[in-house]
Amino acid sequence: MNMPIGTRPVVLACMLCVCTLFCSVLCTVDTHAQGGSNYTVFGLGDLRRSVGAAYEGVGGCLYSTSFDNTINIANPAVWTDVKTTRLQGGYRFNQQFITQNGRTVGNNNGKLDGVAVIFALDTTAGVSASIGLYPSSSVNYMFVKGERIALPDPGQFIDGYSSYMGSGGLNAGFLGASWAVTPRVSVGFTGLFHFGVITDKVETSIISEAALNSITTNTDQLSAMGFTLGLQTKPFDNFTLGGSLTMNGSLTALSDMNYRTAQTGGVVSYDSTFTRTVTSSMPSTIGIGASYRHDRLLFLADAELQTVDGMTYRMPAGSSYTNASRIGVGISRLGSRSAGMSYAQKMNLNAGLGMRNLYYSFFGETVTEQYGTFGVQMPFGGAAMVDAALVLGVRGSTRNGGVEELFGRLSVTISVGEVWFIPFRRDQ
C-alpha cells in the first residue's frame, strides 16, 4: 500500500503531539472534584468497558457495531469497519442526587474521557491498529456519618462525625490490531495495562476538648495486565454479530496507610505510616451483541456478563462481590452522506435503554441500575465528527435503609481523521 505524501507527515506529528498532551492531562487531572457516586466506595469503583458518546447514546451497545467515525475499545474486531485514520478524545460530566433516610444531596464531577488513535492500514484486507488511553474505573465519593460515644455515666454521650472521601481510579493503556479473515469475519486483539491511584480518607472529629481527632488516609498505587479478544461476523447483508472476551491478571496494590491524631486546634500528637502490598483478582468480562440495519435505521442489542471470582480489594464491612450483568438495546437513525441533504439529515440520532446488575451487594441486596439514553452525532466538514450523549438513570434503592442515586451523565467526543493509506493494486 502507498501513503499519500505532502502534508500527511506533518498531520501525523500533530496528531501524536495532541495524543501525548491528552494522555499527560488524563494522568494528572484531579479526579476528586466535588464528589460522585457513593457506591464507588466498593471495589474499583465504576468500571468502564469503553468510551465514546456514540455508544453511550445507543444504550451502551458496544459489541456488534462500529460507527465509521469512532474507536470501539470493547471489541477490537470491529476496527476493520473504520476506513480512515482517526484521533478521538472526549470529556464526561457526572451529576448525582443521592437519597438516604429521607435526605438528598447533590454531587458532581467531570474528567477527560480518554484519547485514542486508530490507523486504517489496509482497508482492502481490513487491517487496522489502534493505541490509546482511557479511564477504566473511577472512584469519587464523599459522605458524612454522625458519631455518638457513650460515656461511663448513664445517659452521658460525646457527639461527633466522620467524613468519608475517596478519589482516583484506574486508567487503561491499550495497543491492538484487527484483521478481516474473510469479507464476513474479522478478529481483533488488544493488550491492556491498567494503572492508577485510589485514595480513601476518613476524618473523625469529636466535639470535646479532651478528645483527639483522627485522620486515616490510605493510598493505593495499582497495576494489572490484561487482554481482549474480539470477533465480528456478518452472516448476511445488514446483519452483524459481535462479541469479545476480556481477561485480566492479578491486581497489585502498593498500599500506604497514614494514621494521624490531633488535638482540637490542630496540634499533632501521633503520626505513623504503614506500607504493605495487596493482591486481588480483577473482573473478567464477556459480551455479545447484534445489530441490524434497515435503510437508515440501525437496531442494536447487547448482553454482558462480568465475573469477580476471588476479588477482595476494597470490600467494606457488610458488602460482598457478585457477578455483574448488563443488557441494553438501542436505535440509531443514520445520517445521509448524499450531496444536497440538509444538515439535520446528515446527523445521526441515537436512543437506547439499559439495565445493569452491579458487581457488589450491600447487606445481601444486589445493587441495580436502570437508564435511558439519547445522543446525536454531528459531522463537520468531511473528516470531523462531534458526538454528544445524555444518560439518565437510577441506581440502588432506599429499601432497608439503602442509598438511591439519580444520575445524569453528559459525554462529548470529538474525532478527526482522513485517508492516509491507499491500497495498491494486487495481482490476481
mmCIF file of all heavy atoms in Angstrom, residues 13-56:
data_model
loop_
_atom_site.group_PDB
_atom_site.id
_atom_site.type_symbol
_atom_site.label_atom_id
_atom_site.label_comp_id
_atom_site.label_asym_id
_atom_site.label_seq_id
_atom_site.Cartn_x
_atom_site.Cartn_y
_atom_site.Cartn_z
ATOM 1 N N ALA A 13 2.498 14.060 12.891
ATOM 2 C CA ALA A 13 3.237 14.615 14.027
ATOM 3 C C ALA A 13 2.324 15.416 14.936
ATOM 4 O O ALA A 13 2.406 15.315 16.164
ATOM 5 C CB ALA A 13 4.393 15.489 13.512
ATOM 6 N N CYS A 14 1.419 16.200 14.347
ATOM 7 C CA CYS A 14 0.483 16.995 15.158
ATOM 8 C C CYS A 14 -0.449 16.095 15.952
ATOM 9 O O CYS A 14 -0.727 16.340 17.130
ATOM 10 C CB CYS A 14 -0.322 17.941 14.262
ATOM 11 S SG CYS A 14 0.666 19.267 13.513
ATOM 12 N N MET A 15 -0.948 15.032 15.308
ATOM 13 C CA MET A 15 -1.851 14.127 15.995
ATOM 14 C C MET A 15 -1.156 13.432 17.148
ATOM 15 O O MET A 15 -1.735 13.278 18.238
ATOM 16 C CB MET A 15 -2.421 13.091 15.020
ATOM 17 C CG MET A 15 -3.440 13.664 14.044
ATOM 18 S SD MET A 15 -4.069 12.428 12.898
ATOM 19 C CE MET A 15 -4.994 11.375 13.993
ATOM 20 N N LEU A 16 0.090 13.008 16.956
ATOM 21 C CA LEU A 16 0.815 12.349 18.029
ATOM 22 C C LEU A 16 1.093 13.312 19.176
ATOM 23 O O LEU A 16 1.038 12.929 20.351
ATOM 24 C CB LEU A 16 2.116 11.759 17.493
ATOM 25 C CG LEU A 16 1.956 10.575 16.519
ATOM 26 C CD1 LEU A 16 3.326 10.123 16.022
ATOM 27 C CD2 LEU A 16 1.223 9.423 17.187
ATOM 28 N N CYS A 17 1.379 14.574 18.859
ATOM 29 C CA CYS A 17 1.601 15.567 19.916
ATOM 30 C C CYS A 17 0.326 15.795 20.711
ATOM 31 O O CYS A 17 0.350 15.863 21.947
ATOM 32 C CB CYS A 17 2.084 16.885 19.311
ATOM 33 S SG CYS A 17 3.778 16.838 18.678
ATOM 34 N N VAL A 18 -0.793 15.918 19.989
ATOM 35 C CA VAL A 18 -2.075 16.103 20.678
ATOM 36 C C VAL A 18 -2.392 14.888 21.535
ATOM 37 O O VAL A 18 -2.862 15.003 22.665
ATOM 38 C CB VAL A 18 -3.196 16.371 19.658
ATOM 39 C CG1 VAL A 18 -4.558 16.361 20.357
ATOM 40 C CG2 VAL A 18 -2.974 17.708 18.972
ATOM 41 N N CYS A 19 -2.127 13.689 21.005
ATOM 42 C CA CYS A 19 -2.376 12.448 21.754
ATOM 43 C C CYS A 19 -1.546 12.434 23.036
ATOM 44 O O CYS A 19 -2.052 12.099 24.106
ATOM 45 C CB CYS A 19 -2.034 11.245 20.884
ATOM 46 S SG CYS A 19 -2.308 9.649 21.689
ATOM 47 N N THR A 20 -0.258 12.815 22.931
ATOM 48 C CA THR A 20 0.603 12.835 24.109
ATOM 49 C C THR A 20 0.108 13.834 25.136
ATOM 50 O O THR A 20 0.100 13.565 26.340
ATOM 51 C CB THR A 20 2.045 13.179 23.693
ATOM 52 O OG1 THR A 20 2.496 12.220 22.739
ATOM 53 C CG2 THR A 20 2.976 13.183 24.892
ATOM 54 N N LEU A 21 -0.344 15.005 24.667
ATOM 55 C CA LEU A 21 -0.864 16.023 25.581
ATOM 56 C C LEU A 21 -2.099 15.528 26.304
ATOM 57 O O LEU A 21 -2.227 15.673 27.522
ATOM 58 C CB LEU A 21 -1.165 17.307 24.800
ATOM 59 C CG LEU A 21 -1.811 18.447 25.613
ATOM 60 C CD1 LEU A 21 -0.855 18.896 26.707
ATOM 61 C CD2 LEU A 21 -2.146 19.622 24.688
ATOM 62 N N PHE A 22 -3.030 14.919 25.571
ATOM 63 C CA PHE A 22 -4.242 14.381 26.188
ATOM 64 C C PHE A 22 -3.883 13.341 27.231
ATOM 65 O O PHE A 22 -4.454 13.314 28.325
ATOM 66 C CB PHE A 22 -5.150 13.755 25.116
ATOM 67 C CG PHE A 22 -6.212 14.686 24.617
ATOM 68 C CD1 PHE A 22 -5.980 15.488 23.512
ATOM 69 C CD2 PHE A 22 -7.434 14.773 25.249
ATOM 70 C CE1 PHE A 22 -6.956 16.344 23.052
ATOM 71 C CE2 PHE A 22 -8.413 15.623 24.792
ATOM 72 C CZ PHE A 22 -8.180 16.420 23.682
ATOM 73 N N CYS A 23 -2.949 12.445 26.903
ATOM 74 C CA CYS A 23 -2.573 11.391 27.850
ATOM 75 C C CYS A 23 -1.960 11.989 29.107
ATOM 76 O O CYS A 23 -2.250 11.536 30.218
ATOM 77 C CB CYS A 23 -1.585 10.421 27.191
ATOM 78 S SG CYS A 23 -2.317 9.418 25.886
ATOM 79 N N SER A 24 -1.122 13.017 28.948
ATOM 80 C CA SER A 24 -0.494 13.634 30.109
ATOM 81 C C SER A 24 -1.528 14.276 31.010
ATOM 82 O O SER A 24 -1.489 14.128 32.235
ATOM 83 C CB SER A 24 0.524 14.686 29.644
ATOM 84 O OG SER A 24 1.531 14.095 28.861
ATOM 85 N N VAL A 25 -2.474 14.994 30.417
ATOM 86 C CA VAL A 25 -3.521 15.634 31.212
ATOM 87 C C VAL A 25 -4.397 14.597 31.884
ATOM 88 O O VAL A 25 -4.771 14.716 33.044
ATOM 89 C CB VAL A 25 -4.365 16.575 30.326
ATOM 90 C CG1 VAL A 25 -5.549 17.126 31.117
ATOM 91 C CG2 VAL A 25 -3.513 17.711 29.793
ATOM 92 N N LEU A 26 -4.723 13.517 31.161
ATOM 93 C CA LEU A 26 -5.569 12.469 31.729
ATOM 94 C C LEU A 26 -4.910 11.841 32.941
ATOM 95 O O LEU A 26 -5.582 11.523 33.930
ATOM 96 C CB LEU A 26 -5.837 11.392 30.672
ATOM 97 C CG LEU A 26 -6.728 10.225 31.110
ATOM 98 C CD1 LEU A 26 -8.126 10.715 31.412
ATOM 99 C CD2 LEU A 26 -6.751 9.148 30.047
ATOM 100 N N CYS A 27 -3.613 11.667 32.911
ATOM 101 C CA CYS A 27 -2.936 11.019 34.032
ATOM 102 C C CYS A 27 -2.785 11.935 35.235
ATOM 103 O O CYS A 27 -2.624 11.461 36.352
ATOM 104 C CB CYS A 27 -1.557 10.533 33.599
ATOM 105 S SG CYS A 27 -1.618 9.178 32.418
ATOM 106 N N THR A 28 -2.847 13.269 35.042
ATOM 107 C CA THR A 28 -2.582 14.178 36.142
ATOM 108 C C THR A 28 -3.820 14.912 36.622
ATOM 109 O O THR A 28 -3.776 15.578 37.641
ATOM 110 C CB THR A 28 -1.538 15.226 35.710
ATOM 111 O OG1 THR A 28 -2.032 15.946 34.568
ATOM 112 C CG2 THR A 28 -0.226 14.574 35.357
ATOM 113 N N VAL A 29 -4.949 14.815 35.908
ATOM 114 C CA VAL A 29 -6.134 15.567 36.292
ATOM 115 C C VAL A 29 -6.647 15.094 37.652
ATOM 116 O O VAL A 29 -6.611 13.911 37.972
ATOM 117 C CB VAL A 29 -7.239 15.433 35.215
ATOM 118 C CG1 VAL A 29 -7.768 14.031 35.148
ATOM 119 C CG2 VAL A 29 -8.378 16.423 35.491
ATOM 120 N N ASP A 30 -7.098 16.024 38.486
ATOM 121 C CA ASP A 30 -7.619 15.705 39.814
ATOM 122 C C ASP A 30 -9.013 15.134 39.672
ATOM 123 O O ASP A 30 -9.934 15.800 39.222
ATOM 124 C CB ASP A 30 -7.667 16.991 40.654
ATOM 125 C CG ASP A 30 -8.201 16.737 42.061
ATOM 126 O OD1 ASP A 30 -8.403 15.554 42.394
ATOM 127 O OD2 ASP A 30 -8.402 17.713 42.798
ATOM 128 N N THR A 31 -9.177 13.864 40.039
ATOM 129 C CA THR A 31 -10.465 13.201 39.864
ATOM 130 C C THR A 31 -11.368 13.339 41.078
ATOM 131 O O THR A 31 -12.460 12.805 41.077
ATOM 132 C CB THR A 31 -10.253 11.702 39.570
ATOM 133 O OG1 THR A 31 -9.553 11.124 40.667
ATOM 134 C CG2 THR A 31 -9.473 11.514 38.294
ATOM 135 N N HIS A 32 -10.915 14.034 42.145
ATOM 136 C CA HIS A 32 -11.774 14.149 43.324
ATOM 137 C C HIS A 32 -12.931 15.078 43.051
ATOM 138 O O HIS A 32 -14.076 14.780 43.353
ATOM 139 C CB HIS A 32 -10.960 14.643 44.523
ATOM 140 C CG HIS A 32 -11.736 14.582 45.798
ATOM 141 N ND1 HIS A 32 -12.593 15.577 46.187
ATOM 142 C CD2 HIS A 32 -11.790 13.632 46.748
ATOM 143 C CE1 HIS A 32 -13.148 15.255 47.349
ATOM 144 N NE2 HIS A 32 -12.668 14.077 47.705
ATOM 145 N N ALA A 33 -12.659 16.248 42.448
ATOM 146 C CA ALA A 33 -13.671 17.238 42.105
ATOM 147 C C ALA A 33 -14.593 17.476 43.291
ATOM 148 O O ALA A 33 -14.156 17.527 44.431
ATOM 149 C CB ALA A 33 -14.428 16.805 40.847
ATOM 150 N N GLN A 34 -15.910 17.606 43.041
ATOM 151 C CA GLN A 34 -16.837 17.889 44.123
ATOM 152 C C GLN A 34 -17.429 16.632 44.738
ATOM 153 O O GLN A 34 -18.013 16.687 45.807
ATOM 154 C CB GLN A 34 -17.979 18.778 43.605
ATOM 155 C CG GLN A 34 -17.524 20.143 43.138
ATOM 156 C CD GLN A 34 -17.172 20.178 41.677
ATOM 157 O OE1 GLN A 34 -17.041 19.148 41.024
ATOM 158 N NE2 GLN A 34 -17.000 21.364 41.141
ATOM 159 N N GLY A 35 -17.323 15.517 44.095
ATOM 160 C CA GLY A 35 -17.914 14.284 44.608
ATOM 161 C C GLY A 35 -18.660 13.562 43.500
ATOM 162 O O GLY A 35 -19.032 14.154 42.501
ATOM 163 N N GLY A 36 -18.885 12.269 43.708
ATOM 164 C CA GLY A 36 -19.579 11.480 42.708
ATOM 165 C C GLY A 36 -20.484 10.464 43.357
ATOM 166 O O GLY A 36 -21.108 10.732 44.388
ATOM 167 N N SER A 37 -20.548 9.283 42.776
ATOM 168 C CA SER A 37 -21.408 8.227 43.294
ATOM 169 C C SER A 37 -20.827 7.649 44.577
ATOM 170 O O SER A 37 -19.665 7.244 44.626
ATOM 171 C CB SER A 37 -21.547 7.112 42.250
ATOM 172 O OG SER A 37 -22.180 5.979 42.811
ATOM 173 N N ASN A 38 -21.654 7.583 45.623
ATOM 174 C CA ASN A 38 -21.180 6.991 46.878
ATOM 175 C C ASN A 38 -20.976 5.491 46.756
ATOM 176 O O ASN A 38 -20.282 4.891 47.591
ATOM 177 C CB ASN A 38 -22.167 7.302 48.006
ATOM 178 C CG ASN A 38 -22.046 8.733 48.492
ATOM 179 O OD1 ASN A 38 -21.101 9.434 48.159
ATOM 180 N ND2 ASN A 38 -23.013 9.183 49.273
ATOM 181 N N TYR A 39 -21.534 4.858 45.739
ATOM 182 C CA TYR A 39 -21.312 3.431 45.533
ATOM 183 C C TYR A 39 -19.882 3.135 45.073
ATOM 184 O O TYR A 39 -19.473 1.970 45.065
ATOM 185 C CB TYR A 39 -22.313 2.874 44.520
ATOM 186 C CG TYR A 39 -23.681 2.612 45.125
ATOM 187 C CD1 TYR A 39 -24.766 3.408 44.790
ATOM 188 C CD2 TYR A 39 -23.874 1.586 46.041
ATOM 189 C CE1 TYR A 39 -26.023 3.178 45.346
ATOM 190 C CE2 TYR A 39 -25.116 1.347 46.600
ATOM 191 C CZ TYR A 39 -26.189 2.142 46.256
ATOM 192 O OH TYR A 39 -27.424 1.922 46.819
ATOM 193 N N THR A 40 -19.116 4.151 44.701
ATOM 194 C CA THR A 40 -17.732 3.891 44.308
ATOM 195 C C THR A 40 -16.842 3.619 45.512
ATOM 196 O O THR A 40 -15.626 3.444 45.348
ATOM 197 C CB THR A 40 -17.166 5.057 43.479
ATOM 198 O OG1 THR A 40 -17.193 6.262 44.258
ATOM 199 C CG2 THR A 40 -17.965 5.258 42.208
ATOM 200 N N VAL A 41 -17.423 3.592 46.723
ATOM 201 C CA VAL A 41 -16.663 3.143 47.896
ATOM 202 C C VAL A 41 -16.340 1.656 47.790
ATOM 203 O O VAL A 41 -15.446 1.153 48.473
ATOM 204 C CB VAL A 41 -17.465 3.437 49.190
ATOM 205 C CG1 VAL A 41 -18.669 2.508 49.311
ATOM 206 C CG2 VAL A 41 -16.573 3.340 50.426
ATOM 207 N N PHE A 42 -17.037 0.922 46.895
ATOM 208 C CA PHE A 42 -16.817 -0.513 46.719
ATOM 209 C C PHE A 42 -15.805 -0.782 45.618
ATOM 210 O O PHE A 42 -15.832 -0.169 44.543
ATOM 211 C CB PHE A 42 -18.121 -1.225 46.354
ATOM 212 C CG PHE A 42 -19.204 -1.104 47.393
ATOM 213 C CD1 PHE A 42 -20.314 -0.305 47.161
ATOM 214 C CD2 PHE A 42 -19.121 -1.774 48.594
ATOM 215 C CE1 PHE A 42 -21.311 -0.189 48.101
ATOM 216 C CE2 PHE A 42 -20.107 -1.658 49.554
ATOM 217 C CZ PHE A 42 -21.212 -0.860 49.313
ATOM 218 N N GLY A 43 -14.930 -1.745 45.860
ATOM 219 C CA GLY A 43 -14.067 -2.309 44.822
ATOM 220 C C GLY A 43 -13.258 -1.276 44.072
ATOM 221 O O GLY A 43 -12.622 -0.388 44.657
ATOM 222 N N LEU A 44 -13.275 -1.387 42.751
ATOM 223 C CA LEU A 44 -12.554 -0.469 41.882
ATOM 224 C C LEU A 44 -13.406 0.718 41.465
ATOM 225 O O LEU A 44 -13.002 1.503 40.609
ATOM 226 C CB LEU A 44 -12.069 -1.216 40.630
ATOM 227 C CG LEU A 44 -11.038 -2.306 40.900
ATOM 228 C CD1 LEU A 44 -10.862 -3.187 39.667
ATOM 229 C CD2 LEU A 44 -9.703 -1.706 41.316
ATOM 230 N N GLY A 45 -14.592 0.849 42.063
ATOM 231 C CA GLY A 45 -15.475 1.948 41.711
ATOM 232 C C GLY A 45 -16.295 1.618 40.477
ATOM 233 O O GLY A 45 -16.617 0.456 40.200
ATOM 234 N N ASP A 46 -16.663 2.640 39.722
ATOM 235 C CA ASP A 46 -17.418 2.448 38.480
ATOM 236 C C ASP A 46 -16.478 1.949 37.389
ATOM 237 O O ASP A 46 -15.492 2.618 37.054
ATOM 238 C CB ASP A 46 -18.069 3.761 38.036
ATOM 239 C CG ASP A 46 -19.305 4.094 38.847
ATOM 240 O OD1 ASP A 46 -19.880 3.171 39.450
ATOM 241 O OD2 ASP A 46 -19.701 5.276 38.865
ATOM 242 N N LEU A 47 -16.798 0.775 36.832
ATOM 243 C CA LEU A 47 -15.969 0.176 35.793
ATOM 244 C C LEU A 47 -16.446 0.626 34.416
ATOM 245 O O LEU A 47 -17.638 0.765 34.174
ATOM 246 C CB LEU A 47 -16.017 -1.348 35.890
ATOM 247 C CG LEU A 47 -15.521 -1.950 37.213
ATOM 248 C CD1 LEU A 47 -15.700 -3.463 37.197
ATOM 249 C CD2 LEU A 47 -14.063 -1.585 37.454
ATOM 250 N N ARG A 48 -15.497 0.819 33.507
ATOM 251 C CA ARG A 48 -15.808 1.240 32.139
ATOM 252 C C ARG A 48 -15.306 0.182 31.160
ATOM 253 O O ARG A 48 -14.167 -0.283 31.258
ATOM 254 C CB ARG A 48 -15.119 2.571 31.819
ATOM 255 C CG ARG A 48 -15.487 3.724 32.738
ATOM 256 C CD ARG A 48 -16.872 4.265 32.447
ATOM 257 N NE ARG A 48 -17.003 4.732 31.083
ATOM 258 C CZ ARG A 48 -16.604 5.938 30.654
ATOM 259 N NH1 ARG A 48 -16.015 6.770 31.501
ATOM 260 N NH2 ARG A 48 -16.780 6.296 29.404
ATOM 261 N N ARG A 49 -16.152 -0.174 30.187
ATOM 262 C CA ARG A 49 -15.748 -1.100 29.139
ATOM 263 C C ARG A 49 -15.220 -0.370 27.922
ATOM 264 O O ARG A 49 -14.392 -0.877 27.173
ATOM 265 C CB ARG A 49 -16.943 -1.974 28.726
ATOM 266 C CG ARG A 49 -17.341 -2.987 29.738
ATOM 267 C CD ARG A 49 -16.331 -4.120 29.851
ATOM 268 N NE ARG A 49 -16.252 -4.899 28.626
ATOM 269 C CZ ARG A 49 -15.139 -5.268 28.022
ATOM 270 N NH1 ARG A 49 -13.972 -4.908 28.509
ATOM 271 N NH2 ARG A 49 -15.157 -5.999 26.926
ATOM 272 N N SER A 50 -15.734 0.815 27.682
ATOM 273 C CA SER A 50 -15.335 1.570 26.509
ATOM 274 C C SER A 50 -15.650 3.030 26.767
ATOM 275 O O SER A 50 -16.227 3.389 27.789
ATOM 276 C CB SER A 50 -16.080 1.059 25.264
ATOM 277 O OG SER A 50 -15.574 1.655 24.089
ATOM 278 N N VAL A 51 -15.251 3.864 25.857
ATOM 279 C CA VAL A 51 -15.541 5.284 25.956
ATOM 280 C C VAL A 51 -16.074 5.748 24.606
ATOM 281 O O VAL A 51 -15.894 5.094 23.590
ATOM 282 C CB VAL A 51 -14.288 6.101 26.348
ATOM 283 C CG1 VAL A 51 -13.841 5.755 27.757
ATOM 284 C CG2 VAL A 51 -13.147 5.872 25.353
ATOM 285 N N GLY A 52 -16.723 6.889 24.613
ATOM 286 C CA GLY A 52 -17.261 7.437 23.378
ATOM 287 C C GLY A 52 -18.745 7.692 23.484
ATOM 288 O O GLY A 52 -19.524 6.803 23.850
ATOM 289 N N ALA A 53 -19.154 8.927 23.183
ATOM 290 C CA ALA A 53 -20.555 9.308 23.314
ATOM 291 C C ALA A 53 -21.453 8.554 22.334
ATOM 292 O O ALA A 53 -22.634 8.335 22.609
ATOM 293 C CB ALA A 53 -20.699 10.813 23.102
ATOM 294 N N ALA A 54 -20.920 8.138 21.187
ATOM 295 C CA ALA A 54 -21.745 7.435 20.202
ATOM 296 C C ALA A 54 -22.339 6.158 20.781
ATOM 297 O O ALA A 54 -23.515 5.854 20.582
ATOM 298 C CB ALA A 54 -20.921 7.113 18.959
ATOM 299 N N TYR A 55 -21.537 5.403 21.547
ATOM 300 C CA TYR A 55 -22.013 4.142 22.110
ATOM 301 C C TYR A 55 -22.882 4.370 23.344
ATOM 302 O O TYR A 55 -23.833 3.606 23.588
ATOM 303 C CB TYR A 55 -20.825 3.244 22.434
ATOM 304 C CG TYR A 55 -20.001 2.959 21.206
ATOM 305 C CD1 TYR A 55 -18.801 3.610 20.976
ATOM 306 C CD2 TYR A 55 -20.469 2.071 20.230
ATOM 307 C CE1 TYR A 55 -18.066 3.378 19.832
ATOM 308 C CE2 TYR A 55 -19.742 1.838 19.089
ATOM 309 C CZ TYR A 55 -18.537 2.494 18.882
ATOM 310 O OH TYR A 55 -17.828 2.272 17.740
ATOM 311 N N GLU A 56 -22.596 5.401 24.115
ATOM 312 C CA GLU A 56 -23.466 5.704 25.246
ATOM 313 C C GLU A 56 -24.843 6.123 24.764
ATOM 314 O O GLU A 56 -25.847 5.866 25.432
ATOM 315 C CB GLU A 56 -22.830 6.799 26.111
ATOM 316 C CG GLU A 56 -21.556 6.351 26.799
ATOM 317 C CD GLU A 56 -21.247 7.174 28.038
ATOM 318 O OE1 GLU A 56 -21.992 8.138 28.312
ATOM 319 O OE2 GLU A 56 -20.264 6.840 28.726
#
